[in-house]
Amino acid sequence: MSVAGITSRAHSLWLAYILHRLSGLGLALFLPFHFWILSLVLTSPDRLDSFLAFSEIGVVKLAEFVLVFLLAVHMFGGLRLMAMEWLPWSAPQKTLAAGAVAVSFLIATLFLMQAM
């Protein structure tokens, strides 16, 4: 691997790039399942009720926390990408990108605490 490859991956914005791609992938994998659960409202209300009872388990609530975190990270990552394309990117904006990740984590944690 070249020195340039190592240097670019050591950059803090490389982590933001990877988080945005992985959160998008996670959300894309979740959506078909989500639409299937929503279809149960129309096709099988009894199965929906049993699924909603299942969703009260702690592990499922933790998965919901991860999902909200991925959604927040993806949203803030998209905002960061738009800022990079439309605004001159400076050191303070890099700090804001890191702050956006921290805010994403805070929002997801608040959702988890409310769910418990």
Side-chain angles (χ1 to χ4, degrees):
M1 179 180 259
S2 69
V3 174
I6 293 172
T7 304
S8 65
R9 290 186 180 176
H11 197 276
S12 62
L13 289 179
W14 185 81
L15 177 61
Y17 165 83
I18 291 299
L19 280 174
H20 189 253
R21 295 316 183 268
L22 291 177
S23 65
L25 180 62
L27 292 170
L29 293 173
F30 166 76
L31 279 175
F33 178 70
H34 178 69
F35 292 140
W36 175 70
I37 295 298
L38 288 177
S39 75
L40 292 178
V41 172
L42 300 173
T43 60
S44 181
D46 294 335
R47 286 180 65 195
L48 176 66
D49 289 339
S50 65
F51 175 78
L52 292 176
F54 170 73
S55 69
E56 292 298 320
I57 298 173
V59 174
V60 176
K61 290 192 181 281
L62 182 62
E64 290 172 351
F65 164 77
V66 171
L67 181 64
V68 171
F69 177 73
L70 289 175
L71 184 60
V73 165
H74 197 72
M75 182 186 75
F76 284 117
L79 292 173
R80 181 190 67 82
L81 285 174
M82 287 191 300
M84 286 179 61
E85 291 177 7
W86 296 338
L87 301 171
W89 192 248
S90 63
Q93 287 173 322
K94 292 177 187 177
T95 303
L96 288 175
V101 171
V103 170
S104 304
F105 184 74
L106 175 65
I107 291 169
T109 304
L110 291 174
F111 274 98
L112 177 65
M113 291 172 54
Q114 186 178 16
M116 298 263 173

